[in-house]
Amino acid sequence: MKLFPHGHATHPQWAMATGLVIAQLRAQLDQPDYADQPTLGLVYLTDHYAAHAQEILAQLQDELPGVSDWSGTVGVGVCAPGVEYFDEPALSVMLLDLAAQDYRVFSGVAPLSQALTQGFRANTALIHADGQSPDLAELIQELAQATESGQVFGGLASGRTDLPQWAWNPGQPATHSLLFGGLSGVAFGPDVGLVSRVTQGCQPISPARTVTGHDGHVVTHLDDEPALDVLLSDLGVDLYDPTRAINAVRATLVGLTHQAATMWSRGGQFGEEVMVRHILGLDPNRRAVAISQTLQAGMQLAFCRRDVQAAKADLLRIGAEIREALEPEEISAEMAQVWADEAQARPVPERRIAGAIYISCAGRGGPHFGAPGAELQLVRKALGDVPLTGFFAGGEIAHQNLYGYTGVLTVFTQGKT
C-alpha cells in the first residue's frame, strides 16, 4: 500500500479551492511514493461551502473519474497535515487506495445491513452523523455491534447552516449522493489495517466515584452521598456564595464510564472509555446535579475541567501508542517522549502509515491549543508528515460511544496490524 494522495485549500470561491485541491491530487498521483489508482475519496468541507457541496462533489467526480466512491461531511473546520482551516472557506480531501472488496460506502439510501446480507464482512466503520438524528447514541451502538470488532470511529457534522453528508458509489444515482440527517460513512473489511485512538482534552479534578442514585439524567447520589454536596466539596465552594459557586460549576464538566478499570489512563488522565458531558443544572431541593447524559446505577463519575496542557500531553500520548502498535520491535513503551521528539525525522515508509483521519471537537483546535494549527502540528509531531484529512465535529464517535472535547485519530497502515 502506497501513500494516499491528499490535498487541501482555502479560497473565497469554492470552484477555485476545489481546483487547487484537484491539482495537488493529480501531482501526487504521478509520484512513485503515492497510490496512482485510489478508489475511495474522503471529502470534508467547512460550513462556508455547505451550500455548494453538490457542485464540489460533482467537480471532484468529473476530474477524478478513477475514484469510484466518495464519502464525507461538513464541519466548522477541516484538518490537513499540520494545519487546520477553522471558520473559513476550505476543503480537505484524501484518496484511499483500497481494494473494492475491502470497503463499502453506506447511508440511509444504501444501509450497511444490505452489504452485510450480500456477504461483506465489516470489521469497523467510519461514521458521519447528524447530531439531531433521533436515538443517535443507540444507532451508533447498533452499527458498531454490526461490525466484527465492535468498534467504530467518526464524528457529527457541525456548522451554522445545513449539514449535508455525502455517500456515493457507482450503484446509486448521483442525485442520491447528498444526504441530510441520519448516519453515513464507510465500513472497512478485516484486511484493511487500521489503528485508532481517542485523546481527551480534560483534566480530572476529583476522585472517581460510583453513581449510587439517579433519576434519568439527574445524579442524586455519589458513593451514597448527595451528589450536589459532593460536587460543591470537590470544587471548594458552597451555595452561601452563589456567584462563586455558579462560576465554578460552569467551568466544570463530568467524566463518565461504565468501566471503573478504564477511568484513568497513564499519567492520571481519563481513559478512552470516559465520556465527557456538561453539567446542565443544580437541584438544591434534592441535593442533585443534572448532566447531559442518561445515567445508570454503577457508572463511574469524576468531575473535570478542560486543560490545555493535559490535552497536549494526551495527544502526544496517543501518537506514541499508535507508533508503538506499528513498531513494537523497534521502540519500547518507555520511549514515548523520544518518539514524539524524533517523529519528524523518521521516514514515512518505516512507520507503515499510508494516511490518517483526525476528527476533533469543534471546541478544540486553535482556540483551545493556543494558536491556529497548533493541534494539527502536534499530530504531525506525533506521527510525522503523513497524509491526513478530517474535520472539527459537533461530537466525536469512537468505540461505541459519542464523546465531547476529544480527538479521534485513526491511521491506515501499510499491511494489517
Side-chain angles (χ1 to χ4, degrees):
M1 183 185 294
K2 294 186 176 182
L3 298 175
F4 295 160
H6 59 290
H8 52 95
T10 178
H11 196 279
Q13 299 179 16
W14 65 265
M16 289 294 295
T18 307
L20 291 170
V21 167
I22 291 170
Q24 294 170 46
L25 295 171
R26 284 178 170 167
Q28 292 174 11
L29 288 169
D30 290 333
Q31 296 179 21
D33 290 339
Y34 285 85
D36 59 358
Q37 293 183 325
T39 54
L40 170 65
L42 297 180
V43 185
Y44 297 112
L45 315 177
T46 64
D47 56 348
H48 291 258
Y49 287 157
H52 302 287
Q54 188 72 69
E55 294 115 308
I56 291 172
L57 187 60
Q59 185 172 342
L60 290 166
Q61 291 170 325
D62 289 344
E63 298 291 339
L64 300 164
V67 181
S68 58
D69 302 84
W70 296 88
S71 181
T73 191
V74 168
V76 293
V78 296
C79 304
V83 65
E84 66 187 39
Y85 299 98
F86 208 94
D87 194 22
E88 60 181 315
L91 74 158
S92 178
V93 179
M94 188 166 72
L95 306 181
L96 282 61
D97 181 26
L98 302 176
Q101 69 270 17
D102 286 338
Y103 69 92
R104 292 291 185 275
V105 173
F106 65 87
S107 66
V109 176
L112 179 58
S113 58
Q114 179 179 320
L116 297 177
T117 60
Q118 296 171 351
F120 177 73
R121 294 172 56 198
N123 185 58
T124 186
L126 165 64
I127 297 177
H128 308 128
D130 187 323
Q132 300 302 313
S133 299
D135 303 319
L136 180 59
E138 290 79 4
L139 291 174
I140 293 170
Q141 290 182 356
E142 288 176 6
L143 199 150
Q145 291 164 7
T147 67
E148 295 181 357
S149 70
Q151 299 187 2
V152 293
F153 62 98
L156 309 186
S158 65
R160 293 151 296 190
T161 60
D162 290 336
L163 303 177
Q165 305 166 44
W166 35 96
W168 186 84
N169 59 62
Q172 66 188 69
T175 54
H176 292 173
S177 61
L178 205 64
L179 311 163
F180 293 90
L183 306 178
S184 68
V186 185
F188 300 101
D191 289 332
V192 178
L194 287 171
V195 180
S196 189
R197 293 290 187 273
V198 176
T199 175
Q200 302 278 6
C202 294
Q203 177 71 40
I205 59 172
S206 78
R209 296 186 174 87
T210 301
V211 176
T212 52
H214 66 93
D215 180 10
H217 63 274
V218 177
V219 189
T220 59
H221 290 83
L222 294 170
D223 290 344
D224 297 321
E225 297 290 333
L228 179 56
D229 294 350
V230 173
L231 170 62
L232 295 176
S233 176
D234 284 343
L235 299 184
V237 297
D238 59 56
L239 296 182
Y240 293 104
D241 186 353
T243 300
R244 182 166 175 261
I246 290 172
N247 289 337
V249 170
R250 283 176 175 170
T252 303
L253 301 162
V254 172
L256 289 167
T257 181
H258 293 277
Q259 302 178 33
T262 58
M263 193 77 186
W264 315 107
S265 67
R266 293 189 304 200
Q269 303 299 314
F270 281 147
E272 290 193 354
E273 297 295 335
V274 176
M275 301 172 289
V276 176
R277 296 292 186 261
H278 289 283
I279 294 176
L280 300 179
L282 310 179
D283 186 342
N285 292 328
R286 289 194 291 173
R287 311 301 294 174
V289 179
I291 65 174
S292 57
Q293 173 73 32
T294 302
L295 294 152
Q296 297 177 14
M299 294 182 80
Q300 300 296 299
L301 181 151
F303 299 110
C304 59
R305 286 181 178 149
R306 299 181 66 196
D307 184 87
V308 174
Q309 295 306 316
K312 290 180 177 179
D314 204 50
L315 184 51
L316 291 174
R317 174 189 64 82
I318 67 164
E321 288 185 358
I322 288 173
R323 295 186 62 190
E324 180 180 3
L326 299 184
E327 304 174 322
E329 73 286 355
E330 297 183 26
I331 301 178
S332 65
E334 290 75 15
M335 295 287 289
Q337 189 58 51
V338 176
W339 293 339
D341 293 340
E342 297 181 353
Q344 289 179 302
R346 292 184 159 272
V348 169
E350 185 176 303
R351 286 196 304 278
R352 298 167 32 236
I353 297 176
I357 301 172
Y358 187 57
I359 298 173
S360 184
C361 177
R364 287 166 58 104
H368 182 54
F369 283 81
E375 184 174 10
L376 272 298
Q377 290 168 17
L378 282 171
V379 173
R380 183 165 62 182
K381 182 178 182 181
L383 296 183
D385 193 12
V386 301
L388 181 143
T389 192
F391 69 105
F392 288 88
E396 303 75 61
I397 299 168
H399 307 300
Q400 298 188 11
N401 300 321
L402 183 60
Y403 291 82
Y405 300 111
T406 63
V408 181
L409 178 59
T410 303
V411 303
F412 293 82
T413 65
Q414 299 179 17
K416 284 183 64 179
T417 58

